Amino acid sequence: MKKNLKKKLAGIKDKQPNQQNQENQEDLPIYPNKNDFIKSVKDKTHSPADLIIRYVSPTITIVYIDNLVDVQSLNELVLNGLKDKESITPSEIHSILPIPEINLSIKLNKSINEMLIGAALIHIVGQPEVVIAKISSYQSRGLAAPENESQVIGAQIAFNENINTNLSLIRRYITNPNLCNEKFTLGRHTQTTVSMLYIHGIAAETHVNTVRQRISDLNIADLIDSAVLAELIEDNSFSIFPQMLLTERPDRFSDGLLSGKVGIVVNGSSMAILCPYTFFEFFQSKEDQNLRWPITTFVRLLRFVAVFLSIFLTPIYVASLTFHYEVIPQPLLVPLSESRAKVPFPPIIEALFLELIIELLREAGLRLPTKVGQTIGIVGGIVLGTAAVQAGITSNILIIIIALCALASFTTPNYTMGNVIRVLRFPIIVLAGFWGYYGIMLAFCILLIHLLKQSSLGAPYTAPYYPPRFKDWPDSIIRLPLPLIKRKSVNTRDGNNEHPINEQNGGKKV
């Protein structure tokens, strides 16, 4: 035992100097010698093929990554400004170059990190610091119409993958000095820029502090997309229901900020995050505000009816044919019996088989090119449905029910919630096949209890109905005329702002 302890202690003592050496290597200074500086940069970046080293003069060297800097700005602003200047200090360069963002650094790590996101490093012989000139140039696609959240009446523009472009779109909608923007850097390998936006005085401080704390506490190796960040910071990552909204529409994002929500924009992702979000808000569309209130109310009610049918219609069919023939009206018994006369499988197998076919067609249509995917979805559904009936694998009535459930699931405005609705059918069908209506009621109770227990940034997930908040009912499942609707939701209200001002009602408190 003593020998083992001595070996472990010796191992620890041997490791400590190595760890200290690694820490020292990670925190290297800027070398005044030109060759030492270039060698240190190459060693840190492993000499990439796109590392460009330009010698402006015998004492000035510029180091940058190709295709990450704006070549025109480099030539016109940096090279022309430093031409014929041999004896100069970094502070003088800071005042000479007409570039908005110029910093000085004495640390090699910080300088290289800035270079990897589009900055040019200007090194002067004999100086222990380097000039960081931020002249980045990112290639991004142009602005286009939204593909996943289309609408007829309203703006026809969507976010792209450039965070600066997305922030400028938001600033065009909200020209308010109280719009706050806090930046974070996440991912040890990716160094992804993340912006948290909120409107001071409208967003609840508790929600702002919660989001800020959760983002600051993250210690992850990489971050590529906003959907990953939403799952990392939401209240319950094990729940199938999303607690934060992913949107590609800057108008919907801006409207959420004006309603007191907190927004998050991730560089490299075309989807922005809004939180907190309730269960009922996922079934609302931005176009609802642009339509007349009776039409909006009808459409919203239609969506909730469609959700109920999509989840429970097939399980009700399975339970009725398996255990509860007495609930089927007499005129329907004969057609059902004739339709299922040649089907060798029980209703649960028949229903699961058709549901899987629908999901396979949907997934194939998403992954194939657009024109081919549409053809596969239409032709595949017709051919497989007709062939299944003729082969006696399924009945005509069940095909109608499955198709109706599939159409109803696509009425959900949010893609993430639509996926949840489609997945929920499968376990409920299984419960209905084993226990009939008792299984359906068990599934309904489990879903209801789960929704009541959920929260989004600590706010109730089922608001405004539980806990009951009657002031928010005019814009929930139904929508009343705009003068009767508060601008700010109770779910996002701060304690000091009990009665927000409705600008559409002449600035009166509502």
Side-chain angles (χ1 to χ4, degrees), residues 123-155:
H123 180 266
I124 303 173
V125 174
Q127 298 293 333
E129 56 185 354
V130 70
V131 180
I132 301 174
K134 296 185 179 181
I135 49 175
S136 59
S137 173
Y138 290 103
Q139 299 296 326
S140 61
R141 62 185 176 94
L143 298 176
E147 296 182 2
N148 300 320
E149 299 177 81
S150 60
Q151 64 182 21
V152 179
I153 302 176

Side-chain angles (χ1 to χ4, degrees), residues 115-417:
M115 181 183 69
L116 293 176
I117 60 175
L121 305 183
I122 305 174
H123 180 266
I124 303 173
V125 174
Q127 298 293 333
E129 56 185 354
V130 70
V131 180
I132 301 174
K134 296 185 179 181
I135 49 175
S136 59
S137 173
Y138 290 103
Q139 299 296 326
S140 61
R141 62 185 176 94
L143 298 176
E147 296 182 2
N148 300 320
E149 299 177 81
S150 60
Q151 64 182 21
V152 179
I153 302 176
Q156 302 294 330
I157 192 171
F159 288 129
N160 64 10
E161 290 74 19
N162 192 328
I163 189 173
N164 294 323
T165 303
N166 296 339
L167 292 176
S168 66
L169 290 175
I170 298 167
R171 289 284 185 184
R172 291 178 184 178
Y173 280 100
I174 306 176
T175 56
N176 190 337
N178 291 325
L179 177 61
C180 302
N181 179 11
E182 299 183 14
K183 287 193 175 183
F184 304 86
T185 302
L186 297 179
R188 295 187 299 274
H189 302 321
T190 57
Q191 295 291 307
T192 305
T193 302
V194 176
S195 288
M196 181 184 73
L197 295 97
Y198 61 93
I199 300 180
H200 180 73
I202 297 181
E205 288 295 328
T206 54
H207 295 158
V208 174
N209 294 333
T210 301
V211 175
R212 183 189 296 118
Q213 186 64 37
R214 291 181 182 179
I215 294 178
S216 302
D217 291 344
L218 287 178
N219 184 15
I220 54 178
D222 51 74
L223 178 64
I224 301 296
D225 196 79
S226 56
V228 178
L229 179 61
E231 186 175 352
L232 290 172
I233 65 175
E234 63 186 6
D235 292 26
N236 184 9
S237 299
F238 296 98
S239 175
I240 191 174
F241 292 96
Q243 295 118 54
M244 297 182 179
L245 176 73
L246 294 173
T247 179
E248 62 176 346
R249 301 192 62 91
D251 55 344
R252 186 172 189 178
F253 185 87
S254 302
D255 185 72
L257 296 181
L258 293 169
S259 298
K261 300 185 185 300
V262 180
I264 304 172
V265 182
V266 179
N267 190 29
S269 175
S270 61
M271 305 293 286
I273 304 171
L274 274 178
C275 54
Y277 235 74
T278 65
F279 174 76
F280 298 99
E281 287 178 314
F282 280 99
F283 299 95
Q284 299 176 5
S285 172
K286 182 64 182 69
E287 194 175 20
D288 293 349
Q289 297 181 0
N290 303 329
L291 299 175
R292 303 296 298 175
W293 69 270
I295 300 174
T296 300
T297 300
F298 171 76
V299 172
R300 287 185 181 179
L301 291 174
L302 182 65
R303 288 173 191 157
F304 282 98
V305 172
V307 168
F308 180 83
L309 292 177
S310 179
I311 296 176
F312 293 106
L313 186 58
T314 306
I316 289 174
Y317 170 86
V318 173
S320 299
L321 290 183
T322 307
F323 298 101
H324 310 283
Y325 273 102
E326 65 277 4
V327 302
I328 302 175
Q330 189 69 25
L332 287 178
L333 280 176
V334 176
L336 279 172
S337 301
E338 292 177 352
S339 179
R340 286 191 45 82
K342 298 181 180 180
V343 178
F345 306 110
I348 181 175
I349 302 298
E350 182 187 7
L352 289 175
F353 175 72
L354 283 181
E355 289 285 358
L356 286 174
I357 288 179
I358 291 294
E359 291 302 317
L360 286 175
L361 289 173
R362 186 186 68 85
E363 191 67 19
L366 287 175
R367 302 295 168 242
L368 290 172
T370 305
K371 295 181 180 179
V372 180
Q374 294 175 354
T375 305
I376 289 293
I378 297 173
V379 177
I382 296 173
V383 172
L384 288 177
T386 306
V389 172
Q390 292 178 353
I393 298 175
T394 183
S395 61
N396 288 321
I397 295 179
L398 183 58
I399 287 182
I400 296 174
I401 292 175
I402 295 295
L404 180 60
C405 292
L407 288 175
S409 66
F410 289 111
T411 59
T412 305
N414 183 262
Y415 177 76
T416 307
M417 185 60 75

Side-chain angles (χ1 to χ4, degrees), residues 26 29 83 95 141 283 315 356 425 458 464 487 490:
E26 292 176 356
K83 186 169 55 178
S95 59
R141 62 185 176 94
F283 299 95
L356 286 174
R425 287 202 298 265
R487 187 65 188 91
V490 176

Side-chain angles (χ1 to χ4, degrees), residues 45-74:
T45 57
H46 304 282
S47 299
D50 53 355
L51 180 66
I52 307 299
I53 301 173
R54 300 185 65 170
Y55 301 98
V56 181
S57 67
T59 59
I60 301 177
T61 305
I62 299 179
V63 183
Y64 61 92
I65 300 293
D66 195 15
N67 297 322
L68 288 185
V69 301
D70 187 358
V71 179
Q72 183 177 359
S73 299
L74 179 68

Side-chain angles (χ1 to χ4, degrees), residues 374-493:
Q374 294 175 354
T375 305
I376 289 293
I378 297 173
V379 177
I382 296 173
V383 172
L384 288 177
T386 306
V389 172
Q390 292 178 353
I393 298 175
T394 183
S395 61
N396 288 321
I397 295 179
L398 183 58
I399 287 182
I400 296 174
I401 292 175
I402 295 295
L404 180 60
C405 292
L407 288 175
S409 66
F410 289 111
T411 59
T412 305
N414 183 262
Y415 177 76
T416 307
M417 185 60 75
N419 288 335
V420 173
I421 300 302
R422 286 189 287 271
V423 171
L424 285 177
R425 287 202 298 265
F426 289 92
I428 300 177
I429 290 173
V430 174
L431 290 174
F434 282 103
W435 294 312
Y437 287 161
Y438 298 103
I440 296 177
M441 287 305 301
L442 175 63
F444 177 79
C445 293
I446 292 174
L447 283 176
L448 184 60
I449 293 171
H450 180 73
L451 289 174
L452 293 175
K453 290 175 61 179
Q454 292 304 307
S455 62
S456 179
L457 295 186
Y461 194 57
T462 53
Y465 296 98
Y466 181 82
R469 292 171 176 172
F470 301 104
K471 293 182 180 180
D472 284 341
W473 285 18
D475 190 21
S476 54
I477 295 180
I478 63 173
R479 184 176 84 79
L480 296 183
L482 289 177
L484 301 178
I485 299 175
K486 299 184 310 303
R487 187 65 188 91
K488 190 177 179 185
S489 171
V490 176
N491 193 44
T492 58
R493 182 179 303 158

